[in-house]
Each structure stands twice: as C-alpha cells, then as structure tokens.
Amino acid sequence: MDTVGRSRHRDYVRPACPVEATLELIGGKWKGIVLYYLLDGKLRFSELKRKIGCVTQRMLTKQLRELEASGLVIRIVYAEVPPRVEYELTAEGESLRPILAALKQWGETHALSLLEKRESAV
C-alpha cells in the first residue's frame, strides 16, 4: 500500500498528537538514518545507499519519496548525461538537526545497552 502523501490519522487533537504527527513524518526503519546522513549535505542515491549499508534499493527509494512528499527532503535532478540526482534536506528537514542529535546521544547513552539486555533475555 502506497502511503506517500496520505496521513494515517484524520485529526491530531490529543495531547501527544504533535509527537504522533512527527513520528508519522520521520518514523520508519530508514527515514531517521537517511535524515541523519543528509545533515552533512547533499548526497547522491548511491552514496546514501553505501552509507546506510543493508537497505534495499526499493526501500531506500520508497523512504526518499515519502520524505520528499513530506517536505523534508528535496530531490535535485541535473540535466546531464548520464543524469545525476542528489538529495538534500529542506529547511524543515534541517530543523530536525537537534532532534536527530538528541536521538544519537540517547542511543549512545541508553539504546545500545538496552538492546544488549533484550538480546540476552531471549
């Protein structure tokens, strides 16, 4: 099912709704990672794929399209042969910098040890 351009919810009036709305825009397995790597500047698709590693081409394309539809990423196509395409954060995407930095910090402080505990409990 294609979710580009469609919200999962009809209203955002409950107290936690700004969090829900934000997670709808940046949630997903790869979106946060894509946004994190784009903090350093423009990247071509192949550069992004190489940095991320284990994402499929299809999934990366889907995540980039959703980020573009959300207004967080822009796709720049250069009229060259062969065509060159780069991705860059919009001003709204750039405004996520402190949030992504906080997520990285929290991950370094808490997430890695929590994941290790979870794995050892299984």
Side-chain angles (χ1 to χ4, degrees):
M1 179 177 216
D2 188 14
T3 59
V4 174
R6 290 189 304 198
S7 292
R8 291 183 206 140
H9 306 282
R10 300 268 181 220
D11 65 73
Y12 292 98
V13 295
R14 294 184 314 275
C17 286
V19 173
E20 190 174 4
T22 302
L23 290 174
E24 184 171 323
L25 293 172
I26 67 169
K29 187 168 182 179
W30 304 108
K31 287 181 187 175
I33 298 167
V34 167
L35 293 166
Y36 178 79
Y37 283 122
L38 288 176
L39 289 173
D40 291 334
K42 294 178 190 175
L43 288 173
R44 295 177 75 165
F45 182 90
S46 58
E47 293 171 316
L48 261 174
K49 188 169 181 334
R50 194 174 321 113
K51 284 178 179 283
I52 295 170
C54 56
V55 65
T56 64
Q57 182 170 333
R58 180 177 177 268
M59 183 54 71
L60 181 56
T61 299
K62 181 180 184 288
Q63 299 288 276
L64 283 164
R65 284 183 184 154
E66 289 178 13
L67 288 167
E68 186 179 3
S70 297
L72 298 173
V73 169
I74 57 172
R75 182 176 184 260
I76 306 161
V77 181
Y78 295 91
E80 300 174 353
V81 178
R84 179 170 50 113
V85 178
E86 293 179 333
Y87 294 90
E88 181 177 32
L89 294 177
T90 62
E92 289 83 6
E94 180 63 36
S95 73
L96 290 165
R97 182 178 293 275
I99 292 143
L100 293 168
L103 283 170
K104 182 177 187 277
Q105 178 63 46
W106 190 89
E108 291 170 348
T109 305
H110 302 286
L112 298 176
S113 64
L114 288 171
L115 288 172
E116 287 174 7
K117 287 178 189 174
R118 185 176 77 180
E119 289 298 316
S120 65
V122 174

